[in-house]
Amino acid sequence: GPPIGRAPTGSGSHMRPPENVRRPVPSDSATMDLNLEHLRAELARMDVLLRREVRRWQVSGQDPHDAFRGLYVSDEQANALLERPLAASWGHLIRLDPAEEQAFQAAMATAEEHVRAVRARAETQGATLRLVRLAEVFALSPFDVDVFLLSLAPALDLRYERLYGYLQDDVTRKRPTVSLVLDLLCPSGPERLQFLTRFADDQPLFRFGLLERAAEAGGHRTGLLNQALHPHETVVAWLLGHYQPSSDLGSGVALSEAILGPADPLLAAKACQTLQQATADLPIAIFRGPDEMGQQAAARLWAAHLRQPLLSIDLRAQGSETPPANVVRIALRDALLTGALPFLRGWDVCVQNGVTPPSLLAEFCAFPGCAIIAGCAPWQPGGVERQRRLVCIDFAVPRVAQRLALWQHFLGDHRQIAGLPALAGQFLLTAGQIRD
């Protein structure tokens, strides 16, 4: 018969900016209800596939009441395995009664109609459904979305763990393996093996950390077909309405609306004007110099201009066990999920001999929106063919006039202290040092 899942369309290896990247939809209760209803409707589609697969297993002779099922292989099972065609499961060996098959098709049609109805209601209300946004931003094919839903299900309802254990003939396998996903979404036969490419490291589900592959049942090294699929906890939390930073990002993570401080225009007005003029080209801004307070002010000003929240990540707070490329990739993924302007501070930890590794720069060049790389030391971009514009802005120690203005601002009511001009002229302090 025809495949149950939907075939991949294109490689989908590059992120795409969502249409509403400049102003994310607020997460009010009505929108949250729609998101949960949409998830429930999509999982109902997966339930139809699971019910049919369970039924096929039972018709093929798999006894659900066998207490030792999955713990031994009988002579009959061994002979059946020898007779089974390449790339086919127990369930693929039988055909259901036509009336029963028709009932499953009708159930799938009903589930799909419910999904369309929820999406139509969201469009009428001007709301962006998170699962839809996930697929659009990361260029997921329909097949990828179904793989993600099957992997997501146990994170939302533990009954799926037992169902997956049953269908995988092993009660300890509580997450779907690549093999089970292919059983549910693809027809039997060697043709299904072409779908294995969608589980490669460079494909969107895994490149951006939406799903992770892992060995189960002892953790021994295993092939791709036997690897279990897990959704990343940050993505699950975001789908349910709140942002939970990954532990891989360390402690220096903050997602906030761009609320401007009274000193921000004084600190970074000129830098922000440069960025505003370049915004149409979606540049990558490179902040360099010792004035970190000025860098932070410029980031807030630019985020406010873009009408985006600011996702600030201090790379100096990372553990040494997490490779910088992984941190950057996760940070950019989270910026896309939240519709935020990514602001990666402490970039000096990534610079090697005055050069940023090409792999890290390539991550930013693949990012579809504006972004900020901030550090103290200058570095040269190179080793990557790119179309992205880089805007380099120096944040040196402020000049005398600006230092005097900063002293006056931070002193507030005491700004008329005698000798202040001499104080500002004599000490070469950054904005942060003057504040302190």
Side-chain angles (χ1 to χ4, degrees):
I4 302 304
R6 292 168 286 178
T9 54
S11 65
S13 60
H14 298 287
M15 297 175 279
R16 293 200 297 249
E19 294 180 359
N20 67 332
V21 68
R22 292 176 64 88
R23 185 180 290 275
V25 175
S27 149
D28 56 26
S29 59
T31 302
M32 173 53 65
D33 289 344
L34 271 177
N35 276 289
L36 291 177
E37 185 175 353
H38 183 228
L39 276 176
R40 187 163 54 243
E42 290 283 14
L43 287 173
R45 287 196 307 108
M46 301 300 101
D47 286 347
V48 175
L49 300 178
L50 288 167
R51 282 198 299 272
R52 187 172 73 170
E53 193 68 8
V54 167
R55 179 60 181 151
R56 283 174 164 176
W57 272 68
Q58 293 170 349
V59 172
S60 69
Q62 306 302 309
D63 182 5
H65 303 294
D66 183 356
F68 299 101
R69 181 176 173 273
L71 300 179
Y72 72 99
V73 180
S74 67
D75 293 341
E76 293 81 2
Q77 289 173 331
N79 290 330
L81 287 170
L82 290 171
E83 296 297 326
R84 201 166 82 185
L86 176 67
S89 70
W90 295 111
H92 287 146
L93 298 178
I94 59 95
R95 289 187 177 274
L96 295 177
D97 179 87
E100 201 169 6
E101 186 66 54
Q102 187 175 4
F104 281 119
Q105 292 175 2
M108 178 59 76
T110 300
E112 291 175 341
E113 178 57 33
H114 186 196
V115 170
R116 287 192 291 269
V118 175
R119 291 191 178 191
R121 193 155 72 250
E123 186 174 351
T124 300
Q125 296 180 15
T128 300
L129 297 170
R130 286 190 180 87
L131 186 61
V132 173
R133 176 183 172 89
L134 188 79
E136 291 177 348
V137 167
F138 296 102
L140 302 182
S141 71
F143 178 82
D144 294 334
V145 172
D146 286 351
V147 172
F148 179 80
L149 286 168
L150 289 169
S151 306
L152 173 70
L156 305 180
D157 190 335
L158 292 180
R159 68 188 175 94
Y160 290 99
E161 290 188 348
R162 300 196 69 182
L163 282 169
Y164 291 155
Y166 173 82
L167 289 174
Q168 294 175 117
D169 204 18
D170 186 342
V171 294
T172 68
R173 308 292 319 241
K174 298 180 178 182
R175 298 286 175 164
T177 59
V178 173
S179 179
L180 176 59
V181 166
L182 294 180
D183 287 344
L184 292 166
L185 300 180
C186 303
S188 63
E191 295 80 8
R192 69 189 293 185
L193 299 180
Q194 66 178 316
F195 290 87
L196 286 176
T197 59
R198 303 304 293 176
F199 300 89
D201 289 339
D202 61 349
Q203 294 302 301
L205 284 173
F206 304 95
R207 170 172 166 73
F208 305 119
L210 307 181
L211 290 184
E212 299 171 335
R213 297 188 306 270
E216 283 190 349
H220 57 276
R221 186 176 180 85
T222 185
L224 177 60
L225 285 172
N226 211 31
Q227 290 179 8
L229 302 174
H230 302 251
H232 196 284
E233 58 184 10
T234 295
V235 182
V236 176
W238 175 79
L239 282 171
L240 296 179
H242 64 279
Y243 175 60
Q244 175 183 316
S246 168
S247 58
D248 291 331
L249 295 180
S251 58
V253 184
L255 174 67
S256 61
E257 295 299 323
I259 300 175
L260 303 182
D264 286 352
L266 175 63
L267 290 165
K270 184 176 293 186
C272 188
Q273 183 179 9
T274 300
L275 292 171
Q276 290 175 8
Q277 293 171 349
T279 293
D281 295 333
L282 298 176
I284 299 168
I286 300 175
F287 292 176
R288 304 180 299 196
D291 192 2
E292 290 194 41
M293 194 171 179
Q295 294 178 358
Q296 294 171 23
R300 286 192 294 271
L301 286 167
W302 198 24
H305 172 72
L306 294 170
R307 295 180 294 168
Q308 292 179 241
L310 186 67
L311 180 61
S312 176
I313 298 163
D314 191 343
L315 297 172
R316 294 164 295 193
Q318 312 305 316
S320 58
E321 65 277 1
T322 306
N326 289 3
V327 174
V328 170
R329 187 174 299 137
I330 292 171
L332 295 179
R333 177 203 66 191
D334 289 6
L336 281 173
L337 287 176
T338 57
L341 173 66
F343 175 36
L344 274 68
R345 302 159 50 204
W347 190 254
D348 294 2
V349 301
C350 299
V351 175
Q352 301 173 2
N353 299 320
V355 177
T356 286
S359 61
L360 296 186
L361 187 58
E363 295 289 345
F364 279 94
C365 290
F367 185 74
C370 299
I372 303 172
I373 303 172
C376 292
W379 54 272
Q380 294 299 321
V384 177
E385 292 186 9
R386 55 181 172 83
Q387 303 297 321
R388 301 298 302 276
R389 180 180 178 186
L390 304 182
V391 177
C392 298
I393 300 178
D394 290 322
F395 288 83
V397 173
R399 294 178 179 274
V400 175
Q402 189 179 9
R403 291 202 300 273
L404 177 59
L406 289 168
W407 276 107
Q408 292 171 337
H409 170 79
F410 289 119
L411 282 169
D413 294 338
H414 304 284
R415 68 183 64 192
Q416 301 304 325
I417 291 177
L420 197 56
L423 181 66
Q426 185 174 359
F427 294 96
L428 303 178
L429 301 182
T430 66
Q433 290 172 324
I434 293 172
R435 177 201 58 192
D436 293 343

